[in-house]
Amino acid sequence: MIKLEHFERTDFAQLIEWIDSPKFLFQWGGQTFSFPLNEQQLDNYIKTSNTNAAQALIYRVVHEENNEVIGHINLQIDWINKSARIGKVLVGKRSLRGQGIGQLMIKKALNITFEGLKLHRVSLGVLDFNLSAISCYEKVGFVKEGLIRDKRKIDNEFWSVWEMSILENEWLEKKNKN
């Protein structure tokens, strides 16, 4: 249903269109970007990604049925500790949200990290009020490790973040059950 392909300059306009407010940009991109998102920021984002020894693998999510780009996801790789961090997860096409696309994206990313890269651990951070994302990650097999209270500040608000992870053996066990 979906495939992950390397995110490239040709994908910039689509991603910029999806990120339509400062709050949404902060939820999606953390402190990596500033609003409005632009090509210069994205050039810096992909500068050293998607090579064999890269510490960042950045993907567009493509709907296989019509070859349309529908989302975005990245992996930050820690080769020394055999771990990765999933970030910047976005089902950009609003009409496809709530249909399990996020789960498929995470499963594809886990296949890359555990099967392709032979890593041991994958983590992520999710805002505590993003209940649909938390549910998605738990369905794939992530477990909550702890709540980091008031980790991010936007305007006059503080947001807390759940740290979640999945280990290689947990992923294999979950994968073999399905």
Side-chain angles (χ1 to χ4, degrees):
M1 177 172 210
I2 64 163
K3 59 185 173 182
L4 302 185
E5 297 177 346
H6 290 299
F7 180 75
E8 299 172 351
R9 288 195 107 263
T10 55
D11 302 306
F12 286 8
Q14 178 67 73
L15 184 58
I16 289 168
E17 183 181 315
W18 288 333
I19 307 298
D20 58 2
S21 74
K23 261 192 176 171
F24 189 70
L25 175 67
F26 192 70
Q27 287 178 40
W28 171 76
Q31 296 167 324
T32 306
F33 303 108
S34 59
F35 192 80
L37 186 61
N38 61 43
E39 289 190 10
Q40 179 60 50
Q41 292 178 75
L42 292 174
D43 268 332
N44 291 336
Y45 175 53
I46 68 167
K47 195 177 292 182
T48 60
S49 67
N50 299 337
T51 63
N52 286 343
Q55 292 181 325
L57 301 175
I58 305 170
Y59 298 99
R60 63 179 170 230
V61 180
V62 179
H63 199 287
E64 289 181 307
E65 187 177 296
N66 58 11
N67 228 24
E68 179 183 12
V69 177
I70 61 168
H72 184 90
I73 191 168
N74 81 14
L75 297 167
Q76 296 294 322
I77 310 296
D78 176 350
W79 295 107
I80 293 169
N81 294 301
K82 294 188 59 131
S83 66
R85 186 165 181 85
I86 292 176
K88 306 202 179 9
V89 179
L90 174 64
V91 178
K93 185 154 184 175
R94 293 182 194 278
S95 63
L96 294 176
R97 292 181 185 164
Q99 297 182 22
I101 301 291
Q103 283 183 58
L104 293 174
M105 292 166 57
I106 299 300
K107 287 177 182 178
K108 295 269 186 192
L110 292 177
N111 277 334
I112 290 167
T113 56
F114 291 129
E115 288 184 8
L117 303 175
K118 307 292 186 208
L119 299 179
H120 174 70
R121 179 180 193 278
V122 177
S123 65
L124 56 81
V126 59
L127 295 165
D128 68 337
F129 59 79
N130 193 343
L131 301 180
S132 61
I134 293 167
S135 174
C136 168
Y137 302 142
E138 288 177 333
K139 286 176 185 171
V140 175
F142 279 80
V143 295
K144 290 177 178 171
E145 293 184 325
L147 182 68
I148 302 173
R149 299 177 303 147
D150 290 355
K151 179 177 178 157
R152 293 195 177 157
K153 182 179 184 292
I154 183 160
D155 299 330
N156 291 319
E157 254 183 289
F158 286 96
W159 292 347
S160 298
V161 174
W162 278 109
E163 277 296 316
M164 301 179 78
S165 72
I166 185 169
L167 303 177
E168 181 182 18
N169 63 315
E170 296 166 337
W171 174 77
L172 284 170
E173 185 179 313
K174 184 98 173 162
K175 186 177 175 190
N176 291 334
K177 282 183 181 178
N178 296 333

